[in-house]
Amino acid sequence: MKNSIFSALFFAIFIGVSAFGASAQTLPAGNWKLTAYNFRQKIAYPISDTLITLNIDPDGKIGGRSGCNVYGGSYSFEDGKLAISDIFSTMMACDEPLMSFERTYYDVLRDSDNFTFERGTLTITDPETKSFVRFTRVKKPKPGNKC
């Protein structure tokens, strides 16, 4: 009897932990605005007046504005690690250093395999280079709302 109760308890805990791990394997859907970044090159790009966004769909698609261009791509999880791939963008030419920022931004997204979501902040990180991009959620106005 003790073994049966112990086995049932162990099985319930195992299922609960497995379910928690599976539900954690998704990026938080929504619209996000870049608020901070750290690139391996330690170059400070003057982008404070530039809107950089990341829109995450629950179906595994991403997109947004990267300063000069509009981009898209997809994300998945492979062996428990984030994989952002198939990044594409429009081909607008902008002045430097914005073009360099965009290339590095795409590289960080592509090379990152980890993310954290804490206190409303989404951080996507490349643990090898310690580069990251950090976003806060943006609320879109409802259609017809001019505010």
Side-chain angles (χ1 to χ4, degrees):
M1 178 73 176
K2 264 187 176 179
N3 273 348
S4 296
I5 292 173
F6 179 78
S7 296
L9 182 61
F10 177 79
F11 182 74
I13 291 171
F14 176 77
I15 295 298
V17 169
S18 297
F20 177 78
S23 67
Q25 294 298 300
T26 185
L27 286 173
N31 302 302
W32 302 87
K33 177 179 135 181
L34 184 74
T35 55
Y37 68 91
N38 184 33
F39 295 158
R40 176 183 191 171
Q41 298 88 343
K42 302 292 183 200
I43 297 171
Y45 295 99
I47 61 161
S48 60
D49 295 334
T50 306
L51 181 63
I52 313 293
T53 63
L54 173 66
N55 303 318
I56 303 170
D57 289 334
D59 65 355
K61 302 292 183 197
I62 63 164
R65 299 179 97 26
S66 52
C68 180
N69 288 288
V70 175
Y71 70 96
S74 58
Y75 73 91
S76 61
F77 288 88
E78 299 168 7
D79 298 325
K81 293 187 177 200
L82 174 64
I84 296 176
S85 60
D86 303 324
I87 295 177
F88 62 91
S89 73
T90 56
M91 302 293 283
M92 300 289 291
C94 292
D95 293 332
E96 288 295 341
L98 191 53
M99 293 303 298
S100 293
F101 172 85
E102 278 193 337
R103 283 189 297 277
T104 306
Y105 175 76
Y106 298 148
D107 288 343
V108 169
L109 288 177
R110 196 176 296 111
D111 295 341
S112 294
D113 67 4
N114 186 22
F115 80 95
T116 58
F117 179 57
E118 297 174 355
R119 297 186 296 271
T121 300
L122 172 64
T123 304
I124 299 174
T125 307
D126 175 0
E128 186 175 314
T129 65
K130 308 291 188 246
S131 297
F132 68 82
V133 286
R134 183 168 294 141
F135 303 87
T136 56
R137 192 178 297 272
V138 175
K139 293 184 181 175
K140 283 190 146 182
K142 294 179 183 174
N145 185 355
K146 297 188 186 219
C147 297

